[in-house]
Amino acid sequence: MIETEHAQGMVVVYLPAEKLLFNADLFSPGDPINEKSAGELYDAITRLKLDVERIVGAHGAGAAGPVATLAALKEAAKR
């Protein structure tokens, strides 16, 4: 869980072997970007030192779920 302005105790799923992080509402590729939420997610990933290569969002474009890279999140968060 991470603390965000959107929700207290926001749940994300991190699969370390796959280097994949799943989230809802904070950052979903293909959806309009909320810079603050994207920043909170990026900051949590870096603070927790998670080795993330792919980010899957629960919302947005894509039949199998939208996928982005950590670099795309960093850009969206303007970090």
Side-chain angles (χ1 to χ4, degrees), residues 13-52:
V13 177
Y14 173 57
L15 303 173
E18 291 78 7
K19 298 183 180 185
L20 184 132
L21 185 130
F22 173 84
N23 83 104
D25 297 343
L26 301 176
F27 177 71
S28 287
D31 257 12
I33 304 286
N34 178 319
E35 185 181 324
K36 180 155 182 67
S37 293
E40 290 172 330
L41 180 59
Y42 181 80
D43 292 346
I45 290 169
T46 56
R47 182 181 70 254
L48 296 169
K49 298 179 179 155
L50 303 179
D51 186 11
V52 174

Side-chain angles (χ1 to χ4, degrees), residues 57-76:
H59 308 293
V67 179
T69 63
L70 185 60
L73 173 61
K74 184 177 181 179
E75 182 179 325

